[in-house]
Amino acid sequence: EFPAGGRGLSARLSVHRPALWAATLFRDALKRRGIEVEGEARARDARESEEREHVVPERAVELASLTGETLGSVVRRTNKESINLNAELILRTLGKEKGSTVPALDPKRARTRGDDEAGTTVVRQWLAEHGIPVDSLALHDGSGLSRLNLVTPEATVRLLAVMLQTSSAARFRDSLPVAGRDGTLKFRLRSTPGRVEAKTGTLTYVNSLSGYATAEDDEVLAFSIICNDETSAESSTPVIDAIAALLASYQEAGQ
């Protein structure tokens, strides 16, 4: 879906076959530049047989290629600036690449589920394998925008703690906004610059911050603060930031 509008109004365009839509735009762009293109734009669904689609990728001629960013670079930009579209695409890519490793319990469901559902299944399995209870979680998308998502601060903190033990720990922490320096925390927690690395999360009536705070003794503390049903005229952000700053100033007694 793409936003559009004018004069204070807005509209949304739903693209039901994005691959075909992109191919059509590409063909039209070539024609506008005087490049002759024969035939019509077509898109092949990877879930359909080659015979039905009459398209065999192995017989196609590659005209050009582009090497994309590394996953680490994409994740860093996604978390720093909170790019929801990127998060959704990462989940779908995960489902497409790894979904076959976690088949649906119902074989019929496996044939019809989308990459997003396959992606959330992969995520749930990874969480369970790393000791994070999933029975109390409801995961429905990659960005967290769905009102059907349900997560707990405890599960989030357990995830943050597990991430510190993985080979991707440094890259993951580097992807988080840094208090007072960059991303969505550039203008927040300026009293503790560099000592809080955390991901913001905001919906109507919901405000959250989850990540790491480096205490005065350099101990790394994982935290998750989620405020639900926020209907007060005053934002909960100052309270959240005060808690995060308190963690960053924490020091063991006697030190």
Side-chain angles (χ1 to χ4, degrees), residues 206-208 227 230 234-241:
V206 180
N207 194 8
S208 66
C227 299
E230 184 182 278
E234 297 184 2
S235 171
S236 59
T237 297
V239 177
I240 291 175
D241 288 358

Side-chain angles (χ1 to χ4, degrees), residues 105-177:
L105 296 178
D106 183 354
K108 293 183 179 179
R109 184 65 178 171
R111 290 194 297 268
T112 60
R113 71 177 180 178
D115 293 334
D116 55 343
E117 185 179 350
T120 57
T121 303
V122 173
V123 170
R124 290 180 68 88
Q125 182 188 58
W126 189 93
L127 293 174
E129 289 176 348
H130 289 80
I132 302 171
V134 297
D135 292 341
S136 60
L137 304 182
L139 307 176
H140 290 273
D141 63 15
S143 64
L145 290 177
S146 173
R147 289 290 183 178
L148 298 177
N149 290 314
L150 294 173
V151 299
T152 64
E154 179 183 359
T156 304
V157 169
R158 287 181 180 275
L159 170 61
L160 291 167
V162 167
M163 286 303 300
L164 289 181
Q165 307 302 317
T166 69
S167 59
S168 302
R171 184 162 293 178
F172 174 69
R173 286 187 66 180
D174 182 59
S175 76
L176 298 175

Side-chain angles (χ1 to χ4, degrees), residues 147 203-207 226-234 236:
R147 289 290 183 178
L203 289 172
T204 303
Y205 310 127
V206 180
N207 194 8
I226 302 177
C227 299
N228 290 319
D229 300 325
E230 184 182 278
T231 58
S232 171
E234 297 184 2
S236 59

Side-chain angles (χ1 to χ4, degrees), residues 13 16 30 37 47 49 54 57 81 93 95 111 122 125-126 128 139 148 152 154 157 162 169 193 212 218 250:
L13 170 65
H16 299 289
L30 292 175
V37 180
R47 293 170 293 187
S49 66
H54 304 292
E81 304 301 332
T93 300
R111 290 194 297 268
V122 173
Q125 182 188 58
W126 189 93
L139 307 176
L148 298 177
T152 64
E154 179 183 359
V157 169
V162 167
Y212 306 102
D218 292 330
Y250 175 77

